[in-house]
Amino acid sequence: IEHVLVHYRWVIVCLFLLPASFLFDIYMTLRAWLIFKLNSAPQQHDARVKNVQEQVRNFKLGGSKMCTSRPGWATVSIRLGKYKKNMKKININLMDILEVDTERKVVRLEPLVTMGQVTSLLLPLGWTLPIVPELDDLTVGGLIMGTGIETSSHKYGLMQHVCESYELVLPDGSLTKCSKCTFAIIVFSISRTENPDLFYSVPWSYGTLGFLVAAEIRIVPSKPFVRIKYQPAHSAGELVDIFTKESKKTKENDFVEALAYSDEEGVVMTGNFCDIYEAGKLNRIGRWYKPWFFKHVETKLKSNESSVEYIPLRDYYHRHTRSIFWELQDIIPFGNNPLFRLLVGWLMPPKISLLKLTQGETVKRLYEEHHVVQDIMVPMKNLTKCLQVFDQEIKLYPLWLCPFYLPKDPGMLAPPSEEMYVDVGAYGEPRAPDFNNVKTIRRIEKATKDFNGYQMLYADSYMTREEFREMFDHTLYDKVRKSLPMCEEAMPEIYDKVH
Ligand SMILES: Cc1cc2nc3c(=O)[nH]c(=O)nc-3n(C[C@H](O)[C@H](O)[C@H](O)COP(=O)(O)OP(=O)(O)OC[C@H]3O[C@@H](n4cnc5c(N)ncnc54)[C@H](O)[C@@H]3O)c2cc1C
Ligand SMILES: *[C@@H]1O[C@H](CO)[C@@H](O)[C@H](O)[C@H]1NC(C)=O
Ligand SMILES: *[C@@H]1O[C@H](CO)[C@@H](O)[C@H](O)[C@H]1NC(C)=O
């Protein structure tokens, strides 16, 4: 069975997981549509929050701590948290969009709302989240507690930087709302200045301060298409130069990303919202029979000229979804074959959660030993050096490069001053001859720390507790944990969930 699982995984994926994923999606789409149409979610919200409060109040101190009950296999991240086994699991059954307020320009969302749900509701209304992270299944809660980055992040920062407020059930069972403290808000309404310390320490706390039950996130107007310009580069220097220059144009470019295909080749992509497209240049990349996006972009390397294309907005937001960035090429090697795409492309991608649920011990071990899924966030000025480190240590391409603006807010990410950062994402099988998952990742973590960079929390981390505390600023986090009733006793520390 193990042999079959490892060598013929695509059989299982194609025969069982694809149809199962399809049915699951239909169910979720129907559910989201029905609930919003009937407008029943907001009334049920309060009752469901009370239920969370009750579960938390029933928790008895002593030994174990609390976490959410969402099973490890259901999340997008690769890790199957071992901590889930021994902790008291709080069931957070909150997966609805509560309110779209186009006057205040905010949406109020429950934590299990997915990015796919948000785009299918907001885009037809002419609105969007400023940041729509790539995969359909990423959740609001996971993105606020984790990262929340996309190609508009050079403008807006991370998900936490476009949030207006969080509603949390604290470890003692009380319900609280927190928001950032600004002058205008202090003048007009005292209640909205509540607890900026908590507001700034929730992001990256990974569910260790309390349970998120709703968040208000800003929305911005959207347009139906994205005009995208591909600029190929044929040396590392050229790639970093173009990419850095475009990332700094925060007014001109709505979207910026780059894919590095080797240590000296890559394509920089810049995009802008637009209402209309030039005849003959529309590319509906989201259609089932279209090539995987990273393969399509690779063809741009053949020329030295930049080129322009128009992509429907939702297709753009989810451009890497059908191939799960480039993860699917290892699982379904012929997945990008035109015939396969034509016949079953519409079933792609399989649900990550179902892939994880059915991977078995052997595949899991092989993944741990021969597979890297890491996102490393470093200052843009250190990108050249960082790419050299990645090339030397893992030699894995394509690499995803996504710029983001990091303000000097208090909290876990406290850069010396506001700065443009870049997320370097490596997903796949490393080709470096002496790759060793623990030793190599430890060296990369060390380099990241030297750059004043950060490792995303969803990825495997091998740092010691001290190293982890050097990478992430725990000053405010520790203070808030001390001040919240029962927090230290009832909630684990971030490190204990991610190391
Ligand atoms: C293939 C892949 C692609 C990715 N692409 C992107 C990307 O494009 N952009 C990006 O920003 N990130 C990306 N990520 C990383 C992603 O940000 C993290 O995995 C993130 O944590 C979201 O995952 P999730 O929605 O599955 O959350 P989960 O894994 O379910 O949650 C993450 C953490 O938040 C906590 N949490 C969640 N909900 C609550 C709640 N209601 N109350 C308290 N705690 C809560 C959980 O306890 C958990 O510790 C990617 C990851 C992978 C594996
Ligand atoms: C593109 O230009 C670079 C340097 O100017 C050159 O080395 C490379 O061969 C060119 N590639 C193509 C496909 O023309
Ligand atoms: C990062 O870049 C800055 C500016 O170029 C440089 O001073 C610093 O030494 C670099 N950091 C590392 C670890 O290379």
Side-chain angles (χ1 to χ4, degrees):
I1 289 172
E2 283 197 350
H3 181 83
V4 170
L5 269 179
V6 172
H7 295 278
Y8 300 96
R9 191 157 181 226
W10 59 267
V11 177
I12 295 165
V13 172
C14 293
L15 287 185
F16 300 107
L17 294 200
L18 286 179
S21 305
F22 179 66
L23 294 177
F24 190 73
D25 273 339
I26 292 184
Y27 167 73
M28 290 307 285
T29 310
L30 275 180
R31 187 186 175 284
W33 186 79
L34 275 178
I35 286 184
F36 203 79
K37 286 278 162 190
L38 301 177
N39 203 21
S40 63
Q43 288 110 46
Q44 288 178 20
H45 174 76
D46 291 344
R48 285 193 301 237
V49 170
K50 284 219 172 67
N51 175 269
V52 173
Q53 286 181 279
E54 227 160 80
Q55 292 177 61
V56 173
R57 285 208 187 99
N58 287 338
F59 169 73
K60 299 271 180 309
L61 279 182
S64 99
K65 310 213 161 169
M66 286 186 282
C67 66
T68 63
S69 70
R70 197 175 189 214
W73 57 263
T75 70
V76 170
S77 49
I78 310 293
R79 182 188 308 116
L80 296 169
K82 295 206 175 79
Y83 61 85
K84 291 259 179 198
K85 281 201 190 109
N86 327 328
M87 290 191 193
K88 152 106 176 166
K89 291 184 267 298
I90 305 296
N91 180 22
I92 313 239
N93 178 25
L94 298 162
M95 49 176 89
D96 294 318
I97 298 174
L98 296 175
E99 199 184 344
V100 181
D101 185 341
T102 49
E103 234 147 75
R104 272 181 62 221
K105 300 197 179 105
V106 291
V107 279
R108 184 158 165 256
L109 306 170
E110 290 186 335
L112 283 174
V113 168
T114 65
M115 287 302 111
Q117 238 172 304
V118 172
T119 46
S120 39
L121 183 86
L122 285 186
L123 300 193
L125 303 176
W127 293 89
T128 184
L129 296 183
I131 302 164
V132 181
E134 168 59 48
L135 300 177
D136 272 2
D137 289 338
L138 289 170
T139 65
V140 168
L143 290 167
I144 289 171
M145 297 286 172
T147 321
I149 187 171
E150 232 327 285
T151 50
S152 51
S153 288
H154 66 297
K155 235 181 178 160
Y156 296 108
L158 304 175
M159 190 59 96
Q160 68 208 62
H161 302 121
V162 296
C163 286
E164 292 284 320
S165 71
Y166 308 124
E167 288 158 62
L168 294 141
V169 170
L170 297 177
D172 64 349
S174 59
L175 177 66
T176 191
K177 182 169 178 175
C178 59
S179 59
K180 78 177 111 177
C181 180
T182 67
F183 179 70
I185 288 168
I186 296 175
V187 172
F188 294 117
S189 152
I190 301 297
S191 67
R192 304 226 351 114
T193 65
E194 260 178 357
N195 217 339
D197 275 359
L198 181 61
F199 179 79
Y200 285 114
S201 49
V202 163
W204 295 73
S205 69
Y206 232 52
T208 59
L209 294 175
F211 298 97
L212 188 70
V213 292
E216 276 183 320
I217 306 184
R218 268 173 21 218
I219 51 175
V220 293
S222 72
K223 292 185 177 172
F225 300 99
V226 175
R227 176 187 190 273
I228 185 162
K229 181 173 162 198
Y230 302 91
Q231 301 181 64
H234 297 276
S235 74
E238 194 189 357
L239 180 67
V240 172
D241 279 353
I242 301 177
F243 182 65
T244 308
K245 200 177 74 210
E246 296 294 353
S247 303
K248 285 189 181 140
K249 293 187 194 160
T250 51
K251 295 237 162 55
E252 294 91 330
N253 292 324
D254 291 325
F255 307 100
V256 181
E257 83 177 313
L259 297 183
Y261 287 93
S262 72
D263 57 346
E264 47 194 29
E265 278 181 314
V267 179
V268 178
M269 285 163 270
T270 51
N272 284 92
F273 283 117
C274 61
D275 285 311
I276 45 167
Y277 55 88
E278 290 171 58
K281 290 200 177 166
L282 181 66
N283 187 356
R284 297 185 182 273
I285 55 164
R287 291 272 167 94
W288 76 96
Y289 52 83
K290 288 283 183 172
W292 285 346
F293 187 62
F294 74 100
K295 287 288 182 193
H296 171 61
V297 177
E298 197 173 9
T299 62
K300 307 287 173 192
L301 277 177
K302 290 203 192 87
S303 131
N304 262 350
E305 304 275 300
S306 56
S307 55
V308 167
E309 235 174 32
Y310 294 79
I311 298 177
L313 181 59
R314 192 164 195 283
D315 292 24
Y316 176 77
Y317 277 145
H318 299 295
R319 68 205 172 285
H320 296 300
T321 299
R322 268 190 314 130
S323 48
I324 316 185
F325 287 84
W326 23 98
E327 288 282 0
L328 272 192
Q329 65 180 356
D330 293 338
I331 298 174
I332 310 179
F334 46 82
N336 196 39
N337 177 297
L339 190 63
F340 180 84
R341 291 197 316 251
L342 193 66
L343 295 178
V344 274
W346 53 279
L347 283 172
M348 298 282 265
K351 288 253 153 210
I352 292 183
S353 48
L354 295 182
L355 282 173
K356 281 165 71 180
L357 189 62
T358 56
Q359 66 185 352
E361 280 303 313
T362 310
V363 173
K364 189 157 145 272
R365 186 172 43 78
L366 285 172
Y367 259 80
E368 277 163 14
E369 286 167 12
H370 304 285
H371 199 93
V372 168
V373 180
Q374 287 284 345
D375 278 272
I376 297 293
M377 314 168 95
V378 298
M380 186 69 97
K381 61 186 183 218
N382 298 107
L383 177 58
T384 306
K385 193 106 177 276
C386 181
L387 290 177
Q388 286 163 2
V389 172
F390 269 68
D391 190 64
Q392 191 188 334
E393 295 289 359
I394 51 179
K395 228 181 248 328
L396 162 64
Y397 296 97
L399 288 176
W400 190 49
L401 306 181
C402 182
F404 69 101
Y405 164 71
L406 188 56
K408 196 176 164 1
D409 280 355
M412 295 292 280
L413 308 188
S417 58
E418 59 165 6
E419 202 167 329
M420 193 60 81
Y421 268 65
V422 52
D423 173 25
V424 182
Y427 324 116
E429 221 177 293
R431 305 270 178 238
D434 30 68
F435 173 82
N436 168 298
N437 65 333
V438 179
K439 288 188 186 141
T440 305
I441 299 300
R442 271 191 64 77
R443 284 197 295 270
I444 288 182
E445 287 165 351
K446 165 88 175 47
T448 306
K449 202 144 54 69
D450 292 344
F451 293 135
N452 277 326
Y454 310 99
Q455 179 182 37
M456 272 198 208
L457 296 177
Y458 80 85
D460 285 333
S461 161
Y462 298 96
M463 286 182 277
T464 63
R465 193 178 295 271
E466 290 68 37
E467 289 163 345
F468 187 75
R469 283 182 160 265
E470 281 164 28
M471 181 178 284
F472 295 102
D473 188 338
H474 280 56
T475 322
L476 185 66
Y477 176 74
D478 287 343
K479 182 178 152 202
V480 168
R481 272 175 73 86
K482 276 214 171 63
S483 71
L484 292 181
M486 284 177 59
C487 190
E488 285 182 312
E489 297 86 348
M491 304 301 281
E493 262 200 55
I494 309 168
Y495 180 76
D496 295 316
K497 294 181 79 171
V498 306
H499 81 105

